[in-house]
């Protein structure tokens, strides 16, 4: 249905819904099925099923609840990220509370971002499209405070300078601004660079630090102490 009505020349965003609550999955599916550029390819009731469904359907985005039986969302996210062929699957973590201590661990495990379950329909649809495009979804309501809180507890245990050694000075400057939540356009304006040049520096930093996406760069910026809470 969605594939037929998606813009010509494009494929709809394939979404896997992973949540142990039937009503939650059903609600999301009804909403997503109304969109021409998004299609739900599978559902999972626990983390183990989420990993298996990801292997068989190769979705673009997984909407992943943190607390699920058999295998929680963090473990499932980690397994998906480590599975050959699923490197380009983006996990969007769903959480109920903005103080959820597991969110930072989810980002470390490879999640591309997270969203509160009480987010409105427009916010959810935007989140899926942003994550599918390879960008990080770092919701302002919870991201900076939460990442700062939990990363600060770990900074001392990480050899920050060694981790950042492969980066040039300019790439470190760019990484610090990514950690502060700036877009490529904003980074370019801050450092007097074109957005394209800023994007290139971000890409180089991702490769050198083996970061899957922008969300991972934010975590690294805090972990290494490059950005202070």
């Amino acid at each position: 249905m969605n594939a037929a009505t998606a813009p010509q020349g494009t494929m709809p965003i394939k979404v896997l819904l992973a949540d142990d609550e039937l009503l939650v999955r059903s609600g999301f599916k009804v909403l997503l099925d109304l969109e021409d550029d998004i299609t739900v390819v599978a559902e999972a009731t626990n983390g183990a099923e989420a990993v298996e469904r990801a292997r068989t359907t190769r979705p673009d985005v997984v909407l992943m609840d943190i607390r699920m039986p058999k295998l929680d969302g963090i473990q499932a996210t980690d397994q998906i990220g480590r599975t050959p062929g699923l490197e380009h699957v983006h996990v969007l973590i769903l959480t109920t509370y903005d103080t959820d201590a597991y969110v930072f661990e989810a980002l470390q495990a490879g999640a591309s971002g997270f969203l509160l379950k009480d987010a409105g329909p427009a916010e959810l649809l935007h989140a899926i499209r942003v994550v599918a495009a390879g960008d990080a979804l770092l919701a302002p309501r919870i991201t900076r405070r939460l990442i700062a809180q939990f990363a600060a507890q770990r900074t001392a245990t990480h050899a920050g300078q060694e981790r950042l050694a492969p980066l040039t000075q300019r790439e470190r400057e760019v990484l610090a601004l990514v950690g502060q939540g700036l877009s490529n356009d904003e980074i370019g304006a801050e450092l007097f660079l074109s957005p394209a040049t800023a994007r290139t520096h971000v890409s180089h930093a991702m490769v050198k630090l083996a970061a899957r996406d922008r969300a991972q760069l934010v975590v690294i910026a805090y972990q290494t102490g490059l950005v202070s809470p």
Side-chain angles (χ1 to χ4, degrees):
M1 176 178 63
N2 288 347
T5 55
Q8 188 173 3
T10 65
M11 295 295 292
I13 299 168
K14 298 187 295 182
V15 175
L16 165 62
L17 301 176
D19 197 298
D20 59 333
E21 295 183 29
L22 175 59
L23 286 178
V24 173
R25 296 198 313 276
S26 298
F28 284 149
K29 189 174 189 306
V30 169
L31 173 64
L32 300 183
D33 281 345
L34 294 174
E35 300 301 307
D36 293 340
D37 62 333
I38 299 174
T39 183
V40 176
V41 294
E43 298 180 35
T45 61
N46 58 62
E49 280 188 7
V51 175
E52 182 58 34
R53 300 286 191 275
R55 287 175 177 147
T56 57
T57 63
R58 304 295 175 97
D60 300 303
V61 176
V62 180
L63 288 184
M64 182 84 74
D65 186 25
I66 283 185
R67 296 183 178 89
M68 290 187 293
K70 295 187 178 180
L71 199 68
D72 65 32
I74 296 172
Q75 295 170 310
T77 297
D78 182 63
Q79 287 195 20
I80 288 173
R82 295 174 184 274
T83 300
L86 300 184
E87 295 86 357
H88 300 296
V89 175
H90 302 288
V91 177
L92 178 60
I93 292 291
L94 299 171
T95 181
T96 304
Y97 306 105
D98 64 359
T99 56
D100 199 327
Y102 295 107
V103 172
F104 184 77
E105 277 74 14
L107 289 174
Q108 285 187 306
S112 294
F114 53 93
L115 191 68
L116 291 175
K117 278 190 176 181
D118 64 359
E123 192 175 355
L124 174 63
L125 295 172
H126 172 72
I128 291 173
R129 292 175 177 124
V130 165
V131 170
D135 293 324
L137 183 89
L138 303 174
R141 287 176 60 186
I142 44 180
T143 302
R144 292 183 184 176
R145 184 183 78 240
L146 192 62
I147 291 180
Q149 177 183 351
F150 293 103
Q153 298 173 6
R154 294 163 171 78
T155 298
T157 67
H158 289 269
Q161 292 306 309
E162 290 183 13
R163 183 84 180 272
L164 298 176
L167 302 185
T168 65
Q169 182 59 37
R170 178 62 85 187
E171 288 164 353
R172 291 190 185 205
E173 294 172 354
V174 169
L175 176 59
L177 295 176
V178 170
Q180 294 172 34
L182 273 64
S183 67
N184 290 336
D185 288 349
E186 292 168 334
I187 292 172
E190 182 76 17
L191 299 178
F192 303 102
L193 304 171
S194 71
T197 300
R199 186 180 306 109
T200 297
H201 286 308
V202 171
S203 297
H204 287 169
M206 288 176 62
V207 171
K208 291 180 179 180
L209 297 173
R212 292 186 63 191
D213 53 29
R214 208 177 184 94
Q216 298 301 295
L217 288 182
V218 174
V219 173
I220 292 170
Y222 277 101
Q223 281 183 329
T224 57
L226 193 60
V227 176
S228 299

